[in-house]
Amino acid sequence: MGWHKDDLTVRTGSPLAVFGPAAYVFAQNTQHVVYQGFTPAGGNDGHLYELYWTQDGGWHFKDLTAEAQAPLCTSYPTAYAFEATGTQHVLYEGQYYDGHVHELWWDSDGWHHNDLTDATGAPLSSGVPVGYEFPGDGTQHVVYTGRDSH
């Protein structure tokens, strides 16, 4: 076996990337890579793109921010699968370091957007949010450093 190189940007014809990508495995053995786009002429484009692999069709890509009609992104995203509900989640801070933690989430109806800062009244973010599933009690959690240093 061993390691192999595979340029997914070339393979899918997707936009170039800036910052590090997030990756996760989801139900039915699908693979997902999420990253912020880059254009040589304009720098980062603020859009979050998903490269995903399915057993029946190989690699594909889509613009998650456009599909979810979500605000643009400032830095790199993080992502996780929430198996308890069969959903996928991408977290990021809004454009221009607005301090809002945004969530893109997928269910069988497609990608959706939620501003977690507005929804919870939580402090503004000063860093990259990270989320995870806690299977022990079927919950999901998002952590980040607030502008209040908590």
Side-chain angles (χ1 to χ4, degrees), residues 74 93-102 117 122-128 144-150:
T74 291
E93 185 177 0
Q95 192 173 36
Y96 307 121
Y97 299 100
D98 69 358
H100 285 249
V101 174
H102 295 277
T117 305
L124 295 176
S125 171
S126 69
V128 176
Y144 65 93
T145 301
R147 290 189 180 167
D148 59 1
S149 296
H150 288 241

Side-chain angles (χ1 to χ4, degrees), residues 30 35 43-44 69:
T30 60
Y35 68 94
N44 79 47
Q69 299 177 347

